[in-house]
Amino acid sequence: MSSEPETSDSLKTFGSVLKVLREEDGLTQEEFAHLVQYSVHYIAKIEQGKQFPPKDLPNRAGAVLDPPAKRIIEAAFKTLTKGAGLASWFKKWAIVEETAISLYAYECRAIPGLLQPEAYLRAIFERRLPPLTEEELEHKVVARLERQRLLAERPNTSFSFIIEQALLERGLGGPHVTRAVIDRLLEAGDRRNIEIQLMPLHQADHIGSDGQMYLAETPDHQWIGYFEGHDSSTLLTDPKLASSMLQRYGKMRSQALSRQATVSLLEQMRGA
C-alpha cells in the first residue's frame, strides 16, 4: 500500500475557526491562552493547524467566549480528521491501538512511536528519504504527538515496551536528543500501567532475531500482531500467528532487564 499520508485541511480549518471566534471577542492570543490555561505557543500551534487540539479545549473556550462560540467550536472539533498525517498502511493498527486493553511492543530499529519525544521524532522525519516537504513533516509530527495521548488517556490499558539498549547508544540526532529520549522513558516508566524494559547490548539468550513486533489485546480478549518496514506493514489476526508472537514476546520479557534495572541503567546513561 502507499506510504503517503492522507493529508487533510481539518486541522487548519479548526485553527482558523478558533482564531476568528477569539478575535470576534476582542481577545489577543496571549489573553485567550491565559484564560483557557494553555501556553501562548500551544494556542498558536493550534490556530496554525500544526497541533491537534486537546479534548477539553471546546469546554475551556466555551467558558471564555460567547455561548454560540462554544457550539461552533464543538462542531468544528467533531469534524477533525483523526489520523491526519498517518501513513495509510499504518491506520488499521492505529485504530487497534485506540481500543486495546493491552499493548506490547518490541523495538530494535527505533524508539516506539508512543514514547518518542518531539526532538527524536523530528530527527527521524528530517532524515527520511525521499525527503519530506515542510508541510509533510509537520503533518507527521502532529499525528505522532496526537497518538501519544493514549498513554495519558488510557490508565486502564497495560503498556509494555522492550527496547534495545543499542538504540540509545546510537545517539540519533545528537546528545540533546538522546537526553530527551531518556527523560521521556523515565517519565513514562514511572506510571503504574507502563512497563519499560531495556534489552542489554550483550544477551546470549536473545530470541528477537525476527525483528520488531507489536501486539494488542482487544476488549474481547483477542490478540492481534503487527509489524512494519520499508513503507509497508502487516496486521496478523490469525490466532495461531498472534499466539506465536505472544510466546516470543513473553520470552523476551524474561531476557530483558527488569523494570528497576532498566531505570538504574537509564539514570546511569542520563548522567553520562
Side-chain angles (χ1 to χ4, degrees), residues 195-268:
E195 181 179 64
I196 297 175
Q197 296 177 265
L198 290 183
M199 183 67 75
L201 286 173
H202 304 289
Q203 173 56 276
D205 188 25
H206 185 1
I207 63 166
S209 58
D210 285 341
Q212 169 214 62
M213 73 169 94
Y214 285 75
L215 286 153
E217 182 184 8
T218 67
D220 58 353
H221 306 294
Q222 301 298 311
W223 284 92
I224 297 174
Y226 174 82
F227 61 91
E228 64 183 38
H230 296 285
D231 299 334
S232 63
S233 66
T234 301
L235 200 66
L236 301 176
T237 57
D238 185 322
K240 183 177 180 180
L241 296 177
S243 175
S244 296
M245 292 180 70
L246 194 59
Q247 289 181 51
R248 291 196 292 272
Y249 191 86
K251 182 66 174 180
M252 280 194 287
R253 289 181 88 165
S254 71
Q255 295 169 339
L257 297 178
S258 69
R259 184 173 189 167
Q260 189 53 51
T262 292
V263 170
S264 297
L265 179 56
L266 287 171
E267 290 176 341
Q268 178 185 339

Side-chain angles (χ1 to χ4, degrees), residues 14 18 32 35-38 42-43 46 52-64 70 73-74 77 80 146 149 153:
F14 180 88
L18 181 64
F32 179 74
L35 291 171
V36 297
Q37 299 180 25
Y38 284 117
Y42 192 56
I43 293 298
I46 292 174
F52 200 99
K55 287 184 176 180
D56 61 352
L57 182 61
N59 285 332
R60 293 196 189 192
V64 172
K70 180 181 180 181
I73 292 175
E74 287 176 342
F77 186 84
L80 286 176
E146 162 60 13
R149 65 182 170 76
E153 293 183 358

Side-chain angles (χ1 to χ4, degrees), residues 79 114 159 167 170 189 230 242 272:
T79 65
L114 291 176
F159 294 92
L167 297 179
R170 180 174 299 150
H230 296 285

